[in-house]
């Protein structure tokens, strides 16, 4: 393992996340964005916002993205050599402002830019939550990758995390009273349980990724810019992990794939793309 990978792994274990890791070169990024644009045109933006789920089994380019060597080298540095791709999903926050552009254009990209002043009460956002709370997995950690197809900054709703919160265990979640929550069960962690003043923004340039632990508290604010924010979310687990039958954490895993090493446990079926 290289020293840089070891350092990233150490930071991940300490903070619960790493961010700004380069993955796609310019040619790969352009090819990926063109391919996603075809899906966007075929299915429509409303569907593409959250419903392109586990399409790595349908499209070779999506599987190539999920198993990109630069993704897997960091995943293996954290989880070990035997890794299962658990789940994947494209997530897009589309702009509400006029003159929108798909991740390009002349609008400000800076992470310290102020959001446009407009009402955000009904705009899509992601409440504070932990992935593992509703994932129904035990026996090993869940690691989530956000691979940015577009630049992701404060004004278009970049990821925010609470560093070190992965050490707190699973926190209570409740239904969010705020409209627009993109999470499938409208879950959120009450803010009085969190040190939100310590929240850290994770800006990304298109082609970079962030990686976070399934116990890390994270969320994101609405896109108040004129630019799309789209990313590819990939979940990985070590082969020691297994699904649990918990009615409070109902999950099915129909698209799992062994992507590295060998699986001596056989807790998940290995699909063939």
């Amino acid at each position: 393992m290289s020293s840089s990978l070891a350092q990233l792994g150490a930071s991940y274990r300490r903070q619960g996340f790493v961010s700004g890791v380069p993955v796609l070169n310019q040619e790969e990024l352009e090819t990926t964005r063109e391919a996603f644009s075809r899906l966007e045109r075929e299915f429509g933006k409303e569907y593409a916002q959250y419903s392109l789920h586990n399409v790595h089994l349908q499209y070779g380019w999506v599987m190539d993205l999920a198993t990109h060597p630069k993704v897997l080298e960091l995943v293996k540095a954290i989880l070990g050599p035997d890794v299962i791709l658990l789940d994947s999903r494209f997530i897009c926050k589309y702009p509400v402002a006029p003159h929108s552009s798909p991740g390009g254009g002349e609008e400000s990209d800076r992470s310290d830019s102020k959001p446009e002043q407009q009402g955000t009460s009904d705009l899509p956002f992601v409440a504070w939550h932990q992935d593992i709370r509703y994932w129904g997995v035990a026996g090993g950690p869940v690691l989530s990758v956000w691979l940015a197809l577009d630049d992701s900054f404060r004004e278009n709703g970049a990821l925010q995390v609470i560093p070190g919160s992965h050490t707190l265990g699973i926190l209570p979640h409740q239904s969010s009273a705020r409209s627009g929550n993109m999470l499938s069960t409208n879950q959120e962690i009450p803010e009085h349980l969190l040190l939100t003043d310590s929240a850290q923004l994770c800006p990304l340039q298109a082609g970079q990724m962030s990686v976070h632990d399934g116990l890390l508290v994270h969320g994101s604010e609405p896109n108040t810019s004129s630019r799309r924010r789209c990313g590819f979310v990939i979940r990985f687990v070590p082969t020691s992990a297994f699904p649990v039958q918990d009615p409070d954490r109902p999950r099915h895993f129909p698209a799992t794939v062994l992507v590295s090493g060998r699986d001596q446990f056989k807790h998940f079926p290995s699909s063939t793309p």
Side-chain angles (χ1 to χ4, degrees):
M1 183 189 302
S2 69
S3 59
S4 60
L5 280 177
Q7 290 169 356
L8 286 172
S11 179
Y12 179 93
R13 284 182 279 275
R14 182 176 63 255
Q15 297 289 326
F17 74 100
V18 293
S19 188
V21 181
V23 177
L24 303 179
N25 61 35
Q26 190 59 38
E27 181 180 357
E28 291 172 324
L29 177 61
E30 290 175 1
T31 299
T32 297
R33 291 182 64 175
E34 288 171 3
F36 181 78
S37 292
R38 290 193 293 271
L39 290 184
E40 197 176 45
R41 289 192 297 270
E42 179 180 354
F43 293 100
K45 290 182 178 180
E46 183 175 353
Y47 190 88
Q49 179 173 258
Y50 198 72
S51 298
L52 288 170
H53 185 210
N54 286 331
V55 295
H56 59 269
L57 294 183
Q58 297 171 250
Y59 302 98
W61 68 269
V62 181
M63 177 58 78
D64 291 343
L65 203 60
T67 57
H68 192 286
K70 290 186 178 179
V71 171
L72 288 185
E73 70 176 3
L74 181 53
V75 170
K76 290 189 291 183
I78 295 168
L79 296 182
D82 303 322
V83 176
I84 287 173
L85 192 169
L86 187 69
D87 187 271
S88 75
R89 186 188 296 271
F90 287 97
I91 298 178
C92 291
K93 285 183 186 172
Y94 287 96
V96 294
H99 311 301
S100 62
S101 59
E106 298 180 357
E107 296 86 352
S108 170
D109 287 342
R110 295 179 297 111
S111 60
D112 59 350
S113 297
K114 294 182 179 179
E116 297 179 15
Q117 297 301 310
Q118 62 182 74
T120 62
S121 59
D122 295 320
L123 298 182
F125 77 104
V126 177
W128 292 117
H129 70 287
Q130 296 166 304
D131 293 338
I132 198 66
R133 175 63 182 82
Y134 289 87
W135 273 89
V137 173
V142 176
L143 177 154
S144 295
V145 170
W146 174 280
L147 180 54
L149 273 62
D150 299 327
D151 294 339
S152 181
F153 295 104
R154 185 182 302 278
E155 67 268 24
N156 66 347
L159 175 72
Q160 298 183 62
V161 303
I162 299 182
S165 57
H166 64 304
T167 64
L168 300 176
I170 298 179
L171 297 173
H173 288 59
Q174 64 183 21
S175 294
S176 176
R178 177 181 170 187
S179 62
N181 189 4
M182 294 179 72
L183 296 175
S184 57
T185 58
N186 191 36
Q187 70 266 31
E188 70 171 1
I189 300 172
E191 286 204 7
H192 71 269
L193 298 178
L194 303 173
L195 297 175
T196 55
D197 288 346
S198 67
Q200 180 174 325
L201 190 73
C202 295
L204 294 172
Q205 294 180 350
Q208 293 181 333
M209 71 174 174
S210 63
V211 183
H212 65 265
D213 187 276
L215 282 167
L216 187 77
V217 177
H218 62 288
S220 63
E221 288 298 313
N223 181 355
T224 58
S225 77
S226 59
R227 303 185 62 178
R228 185 187 72 182
R229 175 197 177 234
C230 185
F232 183 44
V233 178
I234 323 158
R235 321 276 189 190
F236 296 97
V237 292
T239 56
S240 60
F242 55 88
V244 295
Q245 301 302 315
D246 183 345
D248 196 36
R249 302 165 70 193
R251 271 286 175 176
H252 301 286
F253 303 102
T256 52
V257 181
L258 179 67
V259 293
S260 177
R262 64 188 187 91
D263 183 4
Q264 62 177 314
F265 300 99
K266 310 296 183 184
H267 292 148
F268 295 95
S270 187
S271 305
T272 301

